Amino acid sequence: MRVIVCNDYDEMSRKAAKLVASQIVLKPDCVLGLATGSTPIGLYDNLAQMNKRGEIDFSEVTTFNLDEYYPISPDNEQSYRYFMEHHLFNRVNINKNRTHIPDGTTKDPESECAKYERMIEESGGIDLQILGIGQNGHIGFNEPDNNLNTVTHLTNLTENTIEANSRFFEKKSDVPTRALTMGISSILKSRKIILLASGRTKHKVVRELLNDGINTSVPATMLKVHPDVVLICDKEAYSDMYLGVDIGGTSVKFGVIDGFNNIVFKDSIPTHKDMPAKGIVDNIAAQCLKIAQRFPISSIGVGTPGIIDFDTKTVSATNLPFDKAPVALWLKEATGLNVYINNDANCAALGEAVAGEGAGENDIFMITLGTGIGGGIIIDKKIYTGKHGDAGEIGHMCIETDGLPCACGNRGCWEKYASVSALIAQTEAAAEANKDSILANVIKDDCVVDGKTVFKAMNMGCPVAQKVFDKYIDYLAIGVRNIINIFRPGLVVISGGISEAGDRLLKPLIQKVGSDTPIKISRLQNDAGIIGAATLGKNAK
Ligand code: PGA
């Protein structure tokens, strides 16, 4: 089975229409097998437009539809005859006498089915069959069963199909419980088959189709014996989804990513760090379960502050009540899903490496400038944690002997000079020493000093602010240069709130570092953490 994965429903419909159109161009009197349901509507729209533009001619085309409810009259709006007239036949130059749909009004379903089968044969057989797929794996109305009927027959619809199709009816009890449908071998006799699948509700069955063996409980798997089947589906139907959880001091962010690293859903809850560790994790688990009800989640990846002991899989963090907390185990027990965990800065680096600025690089080093300085090392697109799980603590590399004391017990740590907290302290000190400066006045007016203050004063031409910033860049550059000298990565990525300054930070930094190793600002910013966390699960597959 060939698989074409499209970005979305529209692209899927266009691609399918092109294949059908080439069939008609190559053989103007071809026999098409047609399907109903919501999936092929876009395909029929495209075909109608192509016909209108004169690109394809339906005048000699013969069609056989897969199925029809039973009993139902053709003028009932829910009948497949009505559907086909409305979505295709009335919009193209087809000869209606050449369009065939099982007769839902027949008094003798058995001979109607035999007649239908015979007519397909007498037409020369189906050149190209279009199929949708039911959530339960049915094709046509060939429902999962121990024994699949091979030829056109009357069948009972399963509860799952009645439920799925009830969206087209006023109430569920209006859905017919039986249908006339082509059988599995009627379908397999077609020379070519296009199977369409779109949207999240089809993801599970597409996975079963692609991964499982031939099985009558998923009738579509029978298509695997056919030599010319193409599955055209959109990303939502095709790709697995992974949940990424980024635990922060104030909020926990959640993101669902598809197999192509697109975020398809985002959410967040407060962290409640006054609660005990188990309470925090229970809240996170409840949210994960809610999300897993809406999306086909394969696994959960978690980025957490602090240090992870990868032997015991426990987390210890200073700004959260995690003291050897078995976060991953608790989450796995509560959700039943596999849970993967790593440090939040590492996850952000991984996210940037797979879906952000680092997408073209195998080895990147991410520096997060905030209250402290975090580091994430990615080697060969994987997080490097070191033997004890805490590699990358670059905020604590010494850049000044006998320098400022740090909470870690040492002196002269880089984060005491180049973090955003350090920049704020340097800004305050300069304003204090230069009370008449523009910088001091900006602080007086704003009543607050943050990472943006120095930029604001520089904009107003303040030489004191410029000096603070130049010195800050010196400090920042020392650390970046050290990192490049040790790791020589393909790329250094700067993230954290101050990176919003963009080129004003980057240009002087690049100049000061003076290396040919590219330095860039994080493209994903706050999303890097959830994408990286979700990627932990994806990479573990
Ligand atoms: P749908 O139905 O296109 O409405 O999802 C497909 C099917 O049941 O075959």
Side-chain angles (χ1 to χ4, degrees), residues 400-421:
E400 199 89 83
T401 48
D402 291 331
L404 296 169
C406 179
C408 72
N410 288 332
R411 284 181 167 272
C413 292
W414 189 34
E415 67 179 33
K416 299 307 288 181
Y417 298 84
S419 63
V420 177
S421 316

Side-chain angles (χ1 to χ4, degrees), residues 35-41 66-67 80 131-141 143 161 164-165 167-168 195-196 198 201-202:
T36 49
S38 51
T39 313
I41 292 176
L66 279 168
D67 44 21
Y80 287 165
L131 294 175
I133 183 168
Q135 289 170 35
N136 64 0
H138 74 203
I139 44 176
F141 273 131
E143 302 283 51
T161 298
N165 288 10
R167 67 191 198 277
F168 301 114
L195 175 64
L196 299 176
S198 164
T201 57
K202 298 294 168 71

